[in-house]
Amino acid sequence: MLAYVLRRLLLIVPTLFGIMVVNFIIVQSAPGGPVEQALAKIKGHSVEATARVSGTSGGEISNLGKPELATVTSRQSKYRGAQGLDPKFIKEIEQQFGFDKPAHERFYLMMSNYLRFNFGNSFFRDRSVFELVVDKMPVSISLGLWTTLLVYLISIPLGVAKAVRDGSTFDVWSSVIVVIGNAVPAFLFAIALIVIFAGGRYFDWFPLRGLTSDNFNELSTLRQITDYFWHMALPILSMVIGGFAGLTMLTKNSFLDEINKQYVVTAHSKGLKKNRVLYGHVFRNAMLVVVAGFPSAFVSILFTGALLTEIIFSLDGLGLLGFEAAINRDYPVMFGTLYFFTLLGLLLNLLGDIMYHFIDPRIDFEKRNS
């Protein structure tokens, strides 16, 4: 198993490099880069996103030099919206954003810094990428961790019950709920919860924004815990409703597949009790796929599934940070978070394989690959 883990760790390097290369090429080829964003800001034509422009805002950029009223035609400048700006001024902006270097050199410098976990500073916020991620992490971890735990706590017992009662009235009616949960997106549930429980139309029982109240630091420890879960109740509930369906059906199908195998029939024929067969023999084999998939499920919910939920409930987390970075073409934030979370995802996928082995030692990836 050690040799397999070492091979997987070595494989992470080219995989991560390939992902970064592909995304770098795609992003660089897209119009409206950071230089164009800055030029548009100066000329007053930019479209504001939710992020606040600070570190290299229009006011600070204008201090680089006074643009003369020389006419710059579209043939003289590769940037839209640069007409009327001095070419020397444009070059100063390019230099500030690092765009005075060719693309391959910028990519080399970026990756060499990322290898030392130096993600640089945001283009449009006066903070480092690391500080931004750490600042947003509590919101996303709260959503991802509690949602994943609740999804597993609901889906596994429900999936087992559906498998044991396959074809019964319980199975049919619970399947209706699963189908609805699978068909309706989580953000629609979020909107419905706001309308019903957050002062949208009927009840005003839960807060609509933020992770905690404004007076959180003044509360006692018990009140702080209550306040935290009071704010997280609706966002987590919306994500749980939208995410439990797939895992429930995976659990049911895994148990049905194991229940119909010969060793289960043999165990029943020997007179073993139903619960002992189910939880002593079937459970461990059926839960391999479900339990080992926990790391990847957590990453999926943490970094991709919470974007609309964060926007709807005004939660300033990693999903919203990534959305703002993409809108504002904040390349350090975009590529820095992509590098870190891709590396984290690859390591957690490896952790999933290791969990397979520890749950069932009969699974040996090293022998399978030899």
Side-chain angles (χ1 to χ4, degrees):
M1 189 66 183
L2 180 60
Y4 172 77
V5 172
L6 291 176
R7 283 198 301 269
R8 285 289 301 273
L9 288 174
L10 292 175
L11 187 61
I12 286 177
V13 177
T15 304
L16 181 60
F17 181 81
I19 292 173
M20 295 300 297
V21 168
V22 172
N23 283 274
F24 185 84
I25 293 173
I26 293 174
V27 172
Q28 295 294 318
S29 61
V35 176
E36 291 177 296
Q37 294 276 338
L39 293 174
K41 183 74 176 178
I42 293 171
K43 292 182 69 77
H45 300 313
S46 63
V47 177
E48 292 290 342
T50 52
R52 179 180 61 87
V53 178
S54 59
T56 52
S57 63
E60 294 184 7
I61 290 174
S62 62
N63 292 329
L64 293 172
K66 292 250 183 191
E68 300 176 0
L69 297 178
T71 302
V72 181
T73 63
S74 59
R75 293 182 181 178
Q76 293 173 307
S77 176
K78 60 184 177 181
Y79 301 109
R80 294 181 60 186
Q83 291 81 359
L85 296 178
D86 189 348
K88 293 181 180 179
F89 175 68
I90 297 174
K91 286 186 176 297
E92 290 177 350
I93 296 179
E94 287 181 337
Q95 185 176 4
Q96 179 164 341
F97 285 112
F99 277 73
D100 55 328
K101 302 178 180 67
H104 68 277
E105 187 174 342
R106 284 187 279 117
F107 180 78
Y108 172 79
L109 291 173
M110 180 184 74
M111 292 302 296
S112 62
N113 288 328
Y114 286 1
L115 289 175
R116 301 190 299 269
F117 288 93
N118 177 18
F119 301 112
N121 297 320
S122 168
F123 281 162
F124 301 106
R125 296 168 182 252
D126 194 19
R127 300 180 66 186
S128 68
V129 175
F130 179 79
E131 290 176 349
L132 286 172
V133 171
V134 171
D135 186 45
K136 313 299 182 184
M137 190 71 79
V139 173
S140 295
I141 288 181
S142 295
L143 288 173
L145 182 62
W146 293 117
T147 300
T148 305
L149 289 175
L150 287 175
V151 164
Y152 268 74
L153 289 175
I154 294 172
S155 298
I156 292 176
L158 181 59
V160 173
K162 285 174 65 62
V164 173
R165 300 172 177 82
D166 185 40
S168 66
T169 303
F170 171 80
D171 182 40
V172 173
W173 282 106
S174 60
S175 295
V176 173
I177 299 175
V178 169
V179 169
I180 294 174
N182 193 43
V184 181
F187 73 90
L188 289 182
F189 282 118
I191 295 173
L193 291 174
I194 289 175
V195 171
I196 298 174
F197 299 111
R201 185 171 182 179
Y202 298 100
F203 306 103
D204 191 8
W205 292 348
F206 294 92
L208 186 56
R209 62 176 61 244
L211 189 64
T212 56
S213 300
D214 294 335
N215 62 337
F216 181 79
N217 294 328
E218 302 172 4
L219 302 176
S220 63
T221 302
L222 181 60
R223 292 283 301 276
Q224 286 181 343
I225 296 174
T226 305
D227 182 77
Y228 167 77
F229 283 107
W230 183 48
H231 281 78
M232 295 301 297
L234 294 186
I236 292 175
L237 180 59
S238 67
M239 294 181 66
V240 168
I241 293 175
F244 84 100
L247 185 60
T248 298
M249 295 309 299
L250 175 62
T251 304
K252 176 188 175 182
N253 293 333
S254 298
F255 270 81
L256 283 178
D257 184 55
E258 290 295 324
I259 288 173
N260 294 324
K261 288 185 177 179
Q262 185 61 43
Y263 76 90
V264 178
V265 178
T266 303
H268 282 299
S269 65
K270 289 183 177 181
L272 294 179
K273 294 183 179 180
K274 183 178 180 180
N275 286 340
R276 183 177 179 183
V277 174
L278 181 63
Y279 296 104
H281 296 78
V282 176
F283 189 83
R284 187 181 69 174
N285 295 329
M287 290 303 295
L288 276 173
V289 177
V290 178
V291 175
F294 181 88
S296 59
F298 175 69
V299 171
S300 176
I301 294 174
L302 181 60
F303 302 124
T304 61
L307 171 59
L308 292 176
T309 302
E310 289 181 9
I311 294 175
I312 292 171
F313 288 98
S314 299
L315 297 172
D316 194 9
L318 293 173
L320 189 58
L321 175 66
F323 174 75
E324 293 174 350
I327 294 297
N328 292 295
R329 300 297 194 272
D330 197 342
Y331 287 176
V333 176
M334 291 173 62
F335 291 118
T337 54
L338 174 66
Y339 178 90
F340 176 75
F341 295 131
T342 301
L343 178 61
L344 181 62
L346 292 172
L347 291 174
L348 287 177
N349 284 333
L350 174 59
L351 178 62
D353 288 345
I354 296 174
M355 289 179 65
Y356 270 114
H357 178 73
F358 280 101
I359 293 173
D360 190 348
R362 295 173 299 176
I363 299 177
D364 194 331
F365 293 100
E366 188 172 349
K367 291 182 179 179
R368 187 186 67 178
N369 293 330
S370 61

